[in-house]
Amino acid sequence: MNSPTNTELQANVLIVDDDLDIRTLLAEYLEGHGCHTLLAADGVAMWEVLDKHEINLVVLDLNLPGSDGLSLCRALRLKSDIAIIMLTARSAPLDRVLGLEIGADDYVCKPFEPRELLSRIRSVLRRTTNHEQKPNEPTRLHFSGWILDLTARHLVNPQGVIISLSGAEFRLLKIFVDHPNQVLSRDHLLNLTQGRDAEPFDRAVDIQVSRLRQKLEEDAKDPQIIKTVRNEGYVLATHVEIES
């Protein structure tokens, strides 16, 4: 087991899995790489931990007694933008689709090596925590009557109502507003949002774009802000103004 290094992320990770052996193995491995781990065997225990501790990321198994992982992911996403990595069966692509649709930041397919999960955790935490504003950097981006607040990490609609965003939704929208009127391929978007450790998954970007369009109140049949460019990808088809 490797000792923690200065490059390892220090984070509180909650592992939710009903298999004691898996919980113990992952906890020992992650603890050896700079993470502080807490454990839960089901949804009830998960909520108890979240109520008492500040958690940076939840590793959430799909198959749990009582409320399953998808139900827990959906409920957690409604309350928080905490990072979530789903553990799913490699033979169940539909579960991966559903996990992304309801707001999971990433997924790892069973069986997996602990180092693969560690790599995904590090990647997700870098994306979700590395967002401190520097002097003179833009704080709000305006487009088509909408405002993306980079400090609060939420969206404001043309009527001034705050729209919450999951971590994945915020990152994807930030990429679009950083590249207005530029066609971005699915592979490029996947690499920017999921990082180099992303497992190729054709529908992942499409699912996230669909969720983002819903937040932007787009007509699914004729979107005007995030448009599909056939055989190429997507484009934010609007002007963006920067507010510092």
Side-chain angles (χ1 to χ4, degrees):
M1 184 177 296
N2 296 327
S3 300
T5 69
N6 292 332
T7 60
E8 296 292 356
L9 289 169
Q10 304 297 311
N12 294 333
V13 177
L14 171 57
I15 302 170
V16 187
D17 197 303
D18 63 333
D19 188 314
L20 176 60
D21 290 338
I22 290 178
R23 292 200 307 273
T24 303
L25 172 65
L26 293 181
E28 291 179 351
Y29 188 84
L30 296 179
E31 290 275 354
H33 289 78
C35 294
H36 173 61
T37 60
L38 295 99
L39 309 179
D42 55 27
V44 174
M46 181 191 84
W47 292 120
E48 290 178 352
V49 173
L50 290 172
D51 285 340
K52 297 177 182 178
H53 302 273
E54 181 177 347
I55 301 298
N56 303 112
L57 181 143
V58 177
V59 176
L60 183 58
D61 186 37
L62 179 69
N63 296 313
L64 293 170
S67 297
D68 64 24
L70 290 176
S71 299
L72 292 172
C73 180
R74 182 183 295 106
L76 182 55
R77 182 54 70 227
L78 290 174
K79 295 183 177 183
S80 170
D81 63 356
I82 189 171
I84 303 171
I85 294 180
M86 299 289 297
L87 301 182
T88 72
R90 190 173 299 275
S91 61
L94 179 59
D95 293 334
R96 283 178 270 164
V97 171
L98 292 174
L100 291 172
E101 284 181 338
I102 62 180
D105 293 276
D106 203 350
Y107 58 86
V108 175
C109 296
K110 291 183 175 181
F112 60 89
E113 292 291 332
R115 62 183 177 182
E116 177 187 358
L117 178 61
L118 175 65
S119 179
R120 297 298 183 92
I121 289 173
R122 294 171 65 183
S123 179
V124 168
L125 286 176
R126 287 194 186 99
R127 299 195 308 263
T128 56
T129 61
N130 187 25
H131 56 81
E132 294 183 0
Q133 292 299 125
K134 298 179 181 178
N136 301 320
E137 282 194 348
T139 58
R140 286 155 56 108
L141 300 171
H142 300 248
F143 61 99
S144 297
W146 293 80
I147 300 172
L148 180 62
D149 190 315
L150 303 182
T151 302
R153 295 170 67 84
H154 63 222
L155 189 62
V156 182
N157 74 9
Q159 291 73 45
V161 177
I162 293 175
I163 309 297
S164 63
L165 297 172
S166 70
E169 291 164 350
F170 174 83
R171 292 191 298 276
L172 181 58
L173 184 53
K174 177 65 164 54
I175 291 168
F176 277 121
V177 295
D178 282 344
H179 303 85
N181 300 300
Q182 178 179 337
V183 178
L184 302 172
S185 70
R186 287 173 174 81
D187 287 344
H188 187 50
L189 288 170
L190 183 64
N191 183 58
L192 290 175
T193 57
Q194 302 293 326
R196 290 175 298 175
D197 298 321
E199 178 180 328
F201 182 31
D202 291 341
R203 291 196 58 189
V205 170
D206 296 333
I207 291 167
Q208 298 292 1
V209 169
S210 177
R211 285 178 56 84
L212 201 51
R213 282 172 170 167
Q214 292 177 21
K215 293 291 180 76
L216 291 169
E217 302 171 5
E218 291 257 66
D219 181 346
K221 295 182 179 180
D222 186 27
Q224 297 300 304
I225 299 177
I226 301 178
K227 295 188 174 184
T228 302
V229 180
R230 189 172 183 179
N231 297 325
E232 293 190 47
Y234 297 99
V235 59
L236 184 81
T238 186
H239 176 67
V240 175
E241 294 184 1
I242 299 174
E243 176 185 341
S244 298

